[in-house]
Amino acid sequence: MDDLSAVVFDTAERLLGALHHGAGRWEDMTSAGQGRGWATIEEAGLPLALTAEEHGGLGLPLADGLELVQIAGRSPVPWPVVETMLANRFAAEDGRTLHEGPVTALGLLTADQRAFAALARAKQMAGALDAILSMTVAHVQERSQFGRPLAGFQAVQHQLAVLGGEVAAGRAAADHAIARIAEGATGDAATLPIGVARVRVGEAASRAAAIAHQLHGAIGYTREHRLHRYTTALWAWRDQFGTQTYWSRAVGRLVLARDAGDLWPMVTAA
Amino acid sequence: MSVLAFPAPVSRPQDEALRSEVRAFLSQALAGRTSLEKAESWNGFDRDFSRALGAKGWLGMTWPRAYGGHERTAFERYVVVEETLAAGAPVAAHWIADRQSGPTLLRYGSEAQKRAILPRIAAGECTFCIGMSEPDAGSDLAATRTRAERQADGSWRVNGTKLWTTYAHEADFMILFCRTSGTPADRHRGTSQLLVDMRATPGLTVRPIADLMGQHHFNEVHFEDAVIPADALLGTEGAGWAQVMGELAFERSGPERFLSSIQLLIELIAALRGSESDAAQAAVGRLFAHLVTLRHMSRGVAALLERGEDAAVHAAIVKDLGASFEQDLPDIARSLVDAEPDLASTDAFAAVLAYTTMAAPAFSLRGGTREILRGIIARQLGLR
Ligand SMILES: Cc1cc2nc3c(=O)[nH]c(=O)nc-3n(C[C@H](O)[C@H](O)[C@H](O)COP(=O)(O)OP(=O)(O)OC[C@H]3O[C@@H](n4cnc5c(N)ncnc54)[C@H](O)[C@@H]3O)c2cc1C
């Protein structure tokens, strides 16, 4: 991580954290509030995090740009931060001018762009998973039943241990794919790790959301509580830019195209 | 929550050069082994194979040269271990010694113990067993009752029973976890580790226990007024608990925690090769994703260990996720391929499916049960 990245991470974490907590019910937000929020996001340069310097972007190393995507995943806000990051990257790649203002729909993408967007979603999901874990840990420590905090019950502890394992695995899978792409993997050599990341993080999302809702009880099922910002997003994201089934089949097809004896070499090369 | 972040492994050209060398060696050394024999990798006991690995310099790899080691990196060792297991090599004759008893000796052993034993382990000549579990002390190891009493001449008199001791019947040595003062009510206070010579200890008997397949791997080990010399104390008297916890971290950290079923995955892929079935492709893709992710996390544990950092929780996460992956495999395999599982079958898939189905319950027991591991993870999350 270089120095610029460290500054940007720090700013993004504070900025998005504040916007996330200040946003209240998204549907109640005034258009003035909408405008002010986006202006601060733009001022911090976040929409340009995945765009190269020569195209007017921040010029961060790829892994650092995607670290910002994870930070965005941890603090969901009513503006399409990650979509705009991706739209600007693709516009620059295609020689188009960068976007002014937020972009909600990415339009037609090439296969490589779609795969890259899928990878970014995986990292964004890792951020949301991280947030779900902290929220759930905090909740079971605060909430008491039967005269003690929920955290004191072994059944609850074990559910959180499972949640923790899923969060760790989803994040490790995304980071591994990013390292491969940063090294310059293309074609099947890119499809494999990106597919692995999407399949693993998608499964983590399903399990984590289920456990987080269970341990939050009824309060977590309300519109009022912010848990749904994460879980509804995860349920949608796990099937965007290629559904989980699409990616697992893509990986499976590559594996089954080769001899069984090639399995282990494929694993060590993936 | 940074505790759940696994560091990226460092991939170095020297590791990959070693990998090719190991693969070439294994394809020779294991030619002619059946799929079923490969599936039994963990339990395969073959002193010749272990000696051959030792001769290659692939045991005791990270230890100092003065003790027969090769002063190589944790990653180089990792390469050898994962390649050996992925190839289905018989590892039981060196496995426990190389993985945990040797490192424990290196850390706590006296100079004489280290000089006498470590070079033999590194040569693949010396087999160890783990004397932790007892009839009333499984998950609750601190309840251990086996007692060693100091005699007037400084030697120890040991009474008690160890249980589930894998390969005690072949082992040259046991590292015995026992009580040297106080009572089980004192929990981990007053426990110690002794280095027991399995070949020359009067009062020691080993009785076989058959596993559910009828195979003999583990044992009951009885100590009846067994006499163990004074210089057999390992480390510090009374510090047994801390030492044994360190040993368990070695036991839980490696690639063995998700590779136990890999032969079944290989047979599954052979059976489905080129399949156009959606379900088959999706299932194989999912299994592959799990395997790659587990390996990546496990190499992250190796990176932590190489930096000298505490990896106990990371290791617990990998072991918990790994055991679930290994245990899910048989059911997924049987849902995709129509074959009757049968140990005696000449069809490799059917035989390996039968074996792995019967081996699987042990995956989340040996080396710490699923519940114990989840307790460790929960503690790290601040819940206990
Ligand atoms: C194949 C195999 C090889 C082995 N080899 C060795 C060996 O070489 N040396 C050796 O010393 N041991 C060995 N073991 C023993 C192994 O370490 C123990 O089986 C294990 O520690 C569990 O102890 P137990 O069998 O007494 O089960 P118990 O401790 O009786 O546990 C039974 C069940 O209760 C659960 N449980 C126990 N306590 C709690 C708790 N506090 N909270 C929630 N759940 C709990 C456990 O998780 C488990 O599911 C081996 C076991 C197997 C299966």
Side-chain angles (χ1 to χ4, degrees):
Chain A
M1 188 210 314
D2 56 28
D3 291 347
L4 171 63
S5 300
V7 174
V8 181
F9 291 170
D10 198 51
T11 313
E13 229 162 270
R14 272 188 289 114
L15 171 68
L16 293 174
L19 288 173
H20 167 70
H21 282 283
R25 283 165 53 111
W26 293 3
E27 45 279 26
D28 297 343
M29 181 164 269
T30 62
S31 57
Q34 283 276 3
R36 272 197 305 278
W38 183 255
T40 53
I41 290 170
E42 266 190 341
E43 256 163 55
L46 295 182
L48 301 172
L50 295 172
T51 309
E53 211 166 2
E54 65 265 32
H55 296 125
L58 291 189
L60 301 175
L62 180 68
D64 290 354
L66 287 166
E67 198 61 34
L68 282 173
V69 171
Q70 180 170 304
I71 292 169
R74 208 181 292 138
S75 293
V77 291
W79 301 276
V81 182
V82 173
E83 287 72 7
T84 311
M85 285 180 185
L86 289 167
N88 280 326
R89 178 187 178 88
F90 299 152
E93 270 176 13
D94 297 346
R96 290 181 277 118
T97 51
L98 301 186
H99 296 269
E100 297 210 3
V103 179
T104 40
L106 288 176
L108 271 186
L109 300 178
T110 66
D112 281 353
Q113 289 173 341
R114 201 164 96 110
F116 185 84
L119 180 61
R121 273 288 190 260
K123 192 66 171 160
Q124 196 176 6
M125 291 169 82
L129 286 167
D130 211 30
I132 280 192
L133 176 63
S134 336
M135 280 174 78
T136 312
V137 167
H139 179 75
V140 301
Q141 285 169 332
E142 283 156 17
R143 171 79 173 163
S144 281
Q145 290 288 292
F146 301 99
R148 54 175 161 145
L150 295 178
F153 294 96
Q154 197 185 44
V156 169
Q157 293 171 0
H158 284 191
Q159 283 303 299
L160 272 161
V162 174
L163 173 54
E166 292 298 317
V167 172
R171 174 168 168 171
D175 286 345
H176 180 53
I178 290 166
R180 282 283 185 261
I181 301 308
E183 283 162 20
T186 53
D188 287 354
T191 303
L192 212 53
I194 293 176
V196 162
R198 282 299 299 255
V199 173
R200 190 62 189 87
V201 83
E203 192 167 327
S206 308
R207 295 209 183 143
I211 294 173
H213 273 297
Q214 184 65 28
L215 294 184
H216 272 84
I219 189 71
Y221 193 64
T222 60
R223 191 76 181 169
E224 210 57 41
H225 197 286
R226 63 197 173 94
L227 179 61
H228 77 277
R229 293 272 177 242
Y230 296 96
T231 54
T232 55
L234 284 169
W235 290 324
W237 291 343
R238 65 189 175 179
D239 288 323
Q240 285 172 2
F241 306 119
T243 62
Q244 198 173 331
T245 303
Y246 165 87
W247 283 111
S248 45
R249 286 194 60 200
V251 172
R253 205 174 306 119
L254 289 172
V255 174
L256 290 175
R258 305 260 297 265
D259 264 348
D262 289 341
L263 169 69
W264 181 248
M266 273 182 102
V267 169
T268 57
Chain B
M1 219 152 275
S2 60
V3 53
L4 298 180
F6 281 63
V10 209
S11 100
R12 282 168 298 208
Q14 83 217 48
D15 301 338
E16 297 316 305
L18 175 62
R19 188 184 304 286
S20 320
E21 218 186 304
V22 178
R23 276 186 191 165
F25 165 80
L26 290 171
S27 73
Q28 286 265 310
L30 304 178
R33 281 190 198 249
T34 64
S35 296
L36 183 58
E37 284 167 333
K38 289 181 178 172
E40 291 173 342
S41 170
W42 267 72
N43 282 331
F45 192 94
D46 181 339
R47 283 187 189 269
D48 289 338
F49 177 79
S50 296
R51 260 186 227 110
L53 269 192
K56 281 285 191 183
W58 294 339
L59 296 177
M61 285 179 77
T62 60
W63 309 346
R65 283 183 206 286
Y67 305 123
H70 304 280
E71 301 185 3
R72 302 185 74 158
T73 66
F75 275 113
E76 289 173 302
R77 174 174 184 275
Y78 192 97
V79 166
V80 172
V81 173
E82 69 173 349
E83 289 296 326
T84 323
L85 292 167
V91 295
H94 63 265
W95 181 231
I96 291 170
D98 179 65
R99 173 181 71 190
Q100 71 191 85
S101 314
T104 297
L105 273 167
L106 191 62
R107 206 138 129 194
Y108 300 111
S110 67
E111 192 57 29
Q113 287 168 335
K114 290 197 270 196
R115 291 216 176 262
I117 295 175
L118 291 176
R120 291 177 56 202
I121 297 178
E125 303 275 359
C126 187
T127 297
F128 268 73
C129 64
I130 306 162
M132 293 192 197
S133 305
E134 299 187 9
D136 295 322
S139 301
D140 185 12
L141 206 49
T144 197
R145 283 172 196 282
T146 297
R147 175 179 297 275
E149 275 170 305
R150 195 69 104 165
Q151 304 301 287
D153 65 356
S155 67
W156 302 91
R157 198 173 66 201
V158 180
N159 281 287
T161 300
K162 289 290 165 183
L163 204 56
W164 318 126
T165 321
T166 301
Y167 277 109
H169 55 301
E170 294 279 5
D172 301 301
F173 292 96
M174 169 191 278
I175 293 183
L176 171 69
F177 177 65
C178 59
R179 195 160 285 291
T180 42
S181 66
T183 70
D186 294 340
R187 307 292 294 164
H188 49 251
R189 279 191 300 277
T191 56
S192 303
Q193 287 184 304
L194 296 179
L195 182 64
V196 178
D197 187 332
M198 296 296 285
R199 313 258 176 218
T201 299
L204 184 156
T205 42
V206 177
R207 289 192 200 129
I209 303 174
D211 68 16
L212 59 69
M213 282 180 259
Q215 296 179 343
H216 171 207
H217 300 117
F218 49 37
N219 303 274
E220 209 173 274
V221 182
H222 293 284
F223 294 86
E224 272 178 66
D225 289 330
V227 182
I228 296 177
D231 62 4
L233 179 70
L234 183 58
T236 311
E237 184 177 340
W241 183 256
Q243 292 178 200
V244 98
M245 288 301 119
E247 189 180 324
L248 283 170
F250 294 124
E251 183 172 354
R252 288 173 184 158
S253 57
E256 63 270 29
R257 297 308 173 182
F258 56 90
L259 289 176
S260 313
S261 300
I262 187 150
Q263 191 62 36
L264 179 56
L265 184 55
I266 292 170
E267 300 306 334
L268 176 66
I269 289 168
L272 296 175
R273 167 109 213 243
S275 169
E276 288 298 322
S277 145
D278 285 7
Q281 288 176 349
V284 168
R286 173 177 174 260
L287 293 170
F288 188 85
H290 275 261
L291 182 54
V292 169
T293 306
L294 282 163
R295 174 172 182 267
H296 183 64
M297 296 171 88
S298 170
R299 279 158 45 90
V301 174
L304 286 172
L305 291 177
E306 186 153 282
R307 288 192 225 148
E309 286 178 40
D310 178 15
V313 178
H314 294 80
I317 291 175
V318 176
K319 184 176 184 296
D320 185 35
L321 290 172
S324 299
F325 165 75
E326 295 177 325
Q327 288 178 329
D328 287 347
L329 240 160
D331 251 356
I332 295 169
R334 60 189 275 278
S335 75
L336 294 170
V337 179
D338 193 13
E340 260 182 61
D342 177 5
L343 270 187
S345 176
T346 51
D347 172 41
F349 178 84
V352 173
L353 175 61
Y355 177 80
T356 309
T357 303
M358 290 190 276
F363 301 163
S364 55
L365 296 173
R366 61 186 188 195
T369 65
R370 171 169 292 138
E371 288 71 25
I372 296 303
L373 296 171
R374 289 186 180 167
I376 293 172
I377 302 165
R379 180 175 299 121
Q380 187 67 36
L381 291 173
L383 299 172
R384 310 174 51 197

